[in-house]
Amino acid sequence: MSITSSTASLPQRDSIRGAPPAGERAFSIAFSAVLGLGIFVALGGLAAILIWAVSAGLPRLDWGLFTNAPSTARIETAGFRTAIFGSLYVIAGVIVLIIPIGLGTALYLEEFSDRTSRFARLVDLNIQNLAGVPAIVFGILGLAFIVRGPVGIGFVAAAGSLTLALLVLPTIIVSSREAIRGVPRSLKEGALALGATPWKAVWTQVVPYAAPGVLTGAILSVARAFGEAAPLLLVGAVTFVTFNPRFWSDGYSVLPVMIYQYATRPQASFRLLAFAGVLVMLVLVLFMNSFAIWLRNRYERPLQ
Amino acid sequence: MNADPTPEHALPDAAAAPTVGSSMPGGSGSSETASTGFDLSTALGGARADDEERARAEVVFEADRLSVFYGDFQAVRDVSMQIHAKEITAFIGPSGCGKTTLLRSFNRMNDLIASARVEGGLRYHGEDVYGEGVSPVIVRRKIGMVFQKPNPFPKSIYDNVAYGPRVLKWKKSDLDDVVEESLTRAALWDEVKDRLDQSALGMSGGQQQRLCIARAIATKPDVLLMDEPCSALDPIATLRIEDLMRELKDEYSIVIVTHNMQQAARVSDYTAFLTVDIDDESGQRTGELVEMDRTDRIFTNASDPRTEAYVSGRFG
C-alpha cells in the first residue's frame, strides 16, 4: 500500500530521463572550474614569463650572444660564450654523476635492501629530508668539502658539478624509486624463475621498464641544476670569465650567475643583455629537454 | 623484525599433524615442530599410499614436515609428501589453503619475500633445497615455473624464449634451434613462426601462457611448477594447455596448483588435497595436507571424509 502511494507521488521515479540533482551538478561545475583555474595559473605564469623575456630580450638576440665572450667594455657585442661553456661543463658533470648514482641508490633501496631494516629506513628518511634542504646549504657544503677540505679541487667547474649533483640527487633518487616501483613484479619473478640472478633480473627486466621514468626524473633534476645560481656562487662560479673554462682547472662561470651580474648593473644596455641571457638559457634548456624526451620516447616500451 | 622468537613447542605425536588441529595448543600461536628423529614412513602411511606403486618411479621431491611462515604467520603446516618423476601432481584445495605457497617453496620463490621462512625438510633428488650452500638461482634453473597470470616480458617472442638460454650463456648459434624446439614443444610454433620478432604482448592470453611454458622449458629444466596456469584463460585455451601438459609429461615432472577440480581429475596422476585450518583463538588460517593419493582414488574413493566432501562440492 504505502509503496504504491509513494510511487504515485514520484511519477518520474521509473524514468531515466532528466539530469542529476542540482547539487551534484553544481559540484561538478565547481570541480571543473578549480581544475581549469589550476591549468590557467600554471600555463598563464609560464606564458607570462616567456612573453616578457622574449619581448624584452629579442632586440639583443643574435649569434654573437652565443659566440662572444662577456665584456664590460664592449656592451653592444658582449655575449655569454664562456658562461655557456661553463654551464655545459657543469651540467655534463651533473648528468654523468647523478644518473648512475641516483639509479644505483634507487635500485638498491627498492630491489636489494630489506625495506624494513633500520639502515634502509634511515637512508629513506635522510633522502626525504635532503630534498628539502635549501640550495645555499649545499653551496656551503661544496665550499667546505669539495673546493677546500678533503676533496680540495679548488674553484673549478668540476666542483660546481659535484655540488649540484649533491643538490639534485634526492630528486632523481625519489623519482627513480617511483619508476622502479611501477615495474610489474611479475617481470622480475619471471626472470628469476628462469634462473636469472637477482642482479640479472633487475638489469634485464626492471631497469629497461623503469628507464623512461628514470629519464623523466633526470630531465627534471638537470633542468633544476641548470638554473641554479646560489650554490655555484660559493663554489667558484665567478662573474667574469673571458676565456673558455676547462673542467678540472681555471675559474668558470655559469649562465644564471652571468645574468645576475648583468642585471644588477645600472646601465640599461646591461639589463637588455640580461634579458637576452634569459633567452639563451631558455633556448639551451629547450634543446636539452627535447633531446632527453626524444631519448625517453625511444626507450618507451617500443614493443607495446 | 626478521628473527622470529617463537618458543619451540615440540609436537609429540607426528601422526597428529595430518588429522587437523583441534587438539593443537592454541594461545601461543606457535605450533612449530622440531623435526628431530622424525620417521617419514609414519606420515606417508597416513596417506594410504600403496608402497609398491609409489616406489615405481624416481622421487623428485620429498617434503618432510615442511612448514612455511610469513613472519609470525604460519601459512603451511607440516606437509609431508613425495612427488615422482614424469608424473603430473596436482595440488587442490580451498582458497587460502597454502597450495601456492607450498608450490613456491619448491623452487625457493618465497625467498623473495623477506619475512618468509621454511621449516622442516624439502629434498630434491635427495638434496636439501634449503640446505647450506644451495643457491636459489641454481635451484630455479632446474625447477622451472609458470605463473597464474601469463607474464611474458615486454620483448619479442623470440627474445622471450631465448631469455633463459641467454642467462645460461648458451651458444648464440644454438639459440634459433632452441627457440624453435621450445615453441614447437609448447604447440605454438606454427602460430608464431612468422612473427618471432613481434612483441609477445600482442598475443592472446592463451598464446601468452603457452609462450611462458615454452620459455620455461627452453632451458630444459627437470621439473615444471605451474601455479594455476589456466585460471586466466578461456576453456579452449585451457584444454590446449592441458594437452600440452600431457605431452610434456614424458620429459618433465609437473606439479600444478589448480582451483579447478575437473582439471586436476583430467590431467593429473597424483593429487594432493590441502585444506585450511582456522585457529579458534587467533583466527590464523594455516594450510595442511589432508591426503595425497592417486587421482582416481581421490576423486572416487577418498580415504578422508573431508576430501570426499570437497571433491563432491559439499565444502570449500
Side-chain angles (χ1 to χ4, degrees):
Chain A
M1 275 298 277
S2 62
I3 293 168
T4 359
S5 62
S6 73
T7 336
S9 68
L10 291 167
Q12 77 279 26
R13 186 170 184 264
D14 293 325
S15 172
I16 54 167
R17 287 161 186 275
E24 287 176 35
R25 260 180 301 159
F27 184 81
S28 304
I29 291 166
F31 190 65
S32 309
V34 170
L35 293 184
L37 188 71
I39 292 171
F40 178 77
V41 168
L43 288 184
L46 186 65
I49 293 172
L50 278 175
I51 291 166
W52 174 71
V54 169
S55 63
L58 204 58
R60 191 63 178 74
L61 188 67
D62 53 36
W63 272 116
L65 217 50
F66 293 86
T67 54
N68 293 347
S71 164
T72 46
R74 287 163 284 119
I75 307 174
E76 308 314 317
T77 56
F80 287 93
R81 189 188 74 227
T82 59
I84 291 172
F85 268 99
S87 272
L88 290 183
Y89 275 138
V90 169
I91 288 307
V94 168
I95 292 171
V96 167
L97 285 168
I98 64 169
I99 290 183
I101 298 178
L103 180 61
T105 309
L107 282 176
Y108 170 75
L109 288 172
E110 286 300 317
E111 298 288 344
F112 295 101
S113 72
D114 174 8
R115 232 168 296 171
T116 55
S117 78
R118 233 163 224 276
F119 177 71
R121 277 188 299 183
L122 191 75
V123 172
D124 203 1
L125 186 72
N126 273 302
I127 288 168
Q128 310 274 347
N129 285 338
L130 278 178
V133 171
I136 194 76
V137 176
F138 283 95
I140 297 170
L141 178 91
L143 178 62
F145 285 90
I146 297 166
V147 174
R148 302 190 182 133
V151 183
I153 53 175
F155 292 108
V156 295
S161 294
L162 279 166
T163 307
L164 286 184
L166 289 179
L167 174 72
V168 298
L169 261 177
T171 320
I172 192 172
I173 291 172
V174 169
S175 58
S176 301
R177 289 183 69 176
E178 283 307 321
I180 291 163
R181 231 174 279 167
V183 180
R185 292 289 83 187
S186 60
L187 291 184
K188 192 184 167 195
E189 286 201 337
L192 289 173
L194 290 169
T197 58
W199 166 243
K200 183 96 181 172
V202 165
W203 189 248
T204 56
Q205 298 301 333
V206 177
V207 171
Y209 202 95
V214 174
L215 274 172
T216 302
I219 292 169
L220 291 175
S221 303
V222 168
R224 183 180 170 200
F226 194 69
E228 278 292 342
L232 291 178
L233 287 171
L234 286 169
V235 294
V238 290
T239 317
F240 267 99
V241 178
T242 49
F243 48 87
N244 289 342
R246 278 171 295 192
F247 193 62
W248 285 114
S249 56
D250 312 334
Y252 66 102
S253 188
V254 291
L255 278 166
V257 174
M258 205 70 218
I259 291 167
Y260 173 75
Q261 166 62 23
Y262 281 140
T264 50
R265 290 184 174 243
Q267 295 92 326
S269 42
F270 278 119
R271 293 228 302 280
L272 184 61
L273 201 52
F275 276 116
V278 171
L279 285 185
V280 170
M281 279 196 73
L282 284 174
V283 169
L284 289 180
V285 166
L286 200 68
F287 256 109
M288 286 190 337
N289 280 3
S290 311
F291 174 72
I293 289 167
W294 170 80
L295 196 69
R296 183 184 64 192
N297 290 348
R298 270 197 49 186
Y299 267 104
E300 208 138 56
R301 280 143 244 170
L303 276 166
Q304 252 177 19
Chain B
M1 86 149 263
N2 37 9
D4 171 37
T6 31
E8 294 217 347
H9 294 295
L11 249 182
D13 185 3
T19 54
V20 175
S22 55
S23 62
M24 283 291 169
S28 76
S30 68
S31 48
E32 257 173 63
T33 49
S35 59
T36 42
F38 172 71
D39 183 6
L40 183 67
S41 59
T42 326
L44 288 176
R48 207 196 61 169
D50 184 322
D51 282 344
E52 281 170 49
E53 268 183 85
R54 294 296 281 164
R56 77 201 173 288
E58 191 186 355
V59 175
V60 178
F61 280 111
E62 188 168 318
D64 176 3
R65 306 200 68 176
L66 185 72
S67 296
V68 186
F69 298 82
Y70 296 119
D72 291 334
F73 167 67
Q74 183 166 20
V76 173
R77 179 187 297 143
D78 289 342
V79 169
S80 296
M81 60 164 61
Q82 286 187 336
I83 287 168
H84 290 257
K86 303 191 176 161
E87 279 183 354
I88 299 178
T89 308
F91 293 173
I92 60 168
S95 295
C97 72
K99 309 180 290 286
T100 295
T101 297
L102 182 63
L103 189 79
R104 289 168 67 97
S105 68
F106 280 19
N107 69 340
R108 297 191 58 168
M109 287 304 279
N110 285 333
D111 288 20
L112 303 184
I113 301 158
S115 65
R117 187 163 53 84
V118 165
E119 280 177 18
L122 177 67
R123 280 184 291 277
Y124 168 72
H125 292 294
E127 283 185 297
D128 187 356
V129 173
Y130 288 87
E132 238 176 87
V134 174
S135 157
V137 172
I138 305 299
V139 168
R140 293 181 199 129
R141 287 177 186 176
K142 304 269 183 208
I143 305 164
M145 187 160 202
V146 175
F147 295 85
Q148 181 172 0
K149 208 174 142 245
N151 60 344
F153 301 137
K155 296 169 182 264
S156 69
I157 293 168
Y158 185 97
D159 286 342
N160 264 276
V161 182
Y163 187 87
R166 280 176 178 150
V167 160
L168 298 183
K169 300 196 170 64
W170 284 8
K171 261 192 286 172
K172 269 207 171 71
S173 50
D174 296 341
L175 281 185
D176 287 356
D177 291 339
V178 170
V179 169
E180 179 173 350
E181 192 195 328
S182 309
L183 286 170
T184 307
R185 281 300 259 150
L188 197 57
W189 176 251
D190 289 334
E191 288 164 62
V192 301
K193 64 183 174 201
D194 297 324
R195 51 180 183 121
L196 291 176
D197 57 342
Q198 287 178 29
S199 171
L201 301 175
M203 308 165 88
S204 74
Q207 286 176 323
Q208 288 189 1
Q209 195 62 301
R210 274 180 285 147
L211 178 69
C212 290
I213 293 171
R215 193 172 72 181
I217 60 178
T219 51
K220 312 244 180 322
D222 177 45
V223 184
L224 213 48
L225 304 178
M226 303 177 112
D227 182 7
E228 296 183 42
C230 303
S231 65
L233 305 182
D234 67 63
I236 293 175
T238 300
L239 287 178
R240 297 203 65 162
I241 302 268
E242 287 177 10
D243 286 342
L244 181 55
M245 287 167 65
R246 274 184 220 103
E247 274 181 44
L248 292 175
K249 194 172 88 168
D250 52 276
E251 276 184 68
Y252 299 92
S253 314
I254 297 176
V255 185
I256 175 176
V257 163
T258 179
H259 261 298
N260 180 334
M261 280 184 280
Q262 284 74 36
Q263 180 168 59
R266 281 194 298 263
V267 297
S268 72
D269 302 298
Y270 263 75
T271 297
F273 171 61
L274 289 91
T275 191
V276 57
D277 170 42
I278 303 168
D279 189 288
D280 288 339
E281 287 186 29
S282 66
Q284 278 199 354
R285 300 165 68 88
T286 299
E288 291 180 330
L289 176 66
V290 174
E291 66 177 313
M292 182 172 185
D293 209 337
R294 255 175 35 204
T295 298
D296 55 343
R297 287 209 208 116
I298 288 279
F299 280 92
T300 56
N301 191 17
S303 57
D304 193 295
R306 286 170 299 167
T307 312
E308 218 213 306
Y310 184 76
V311 298
S312 59
R314 273 182 279 131
F315 128 82

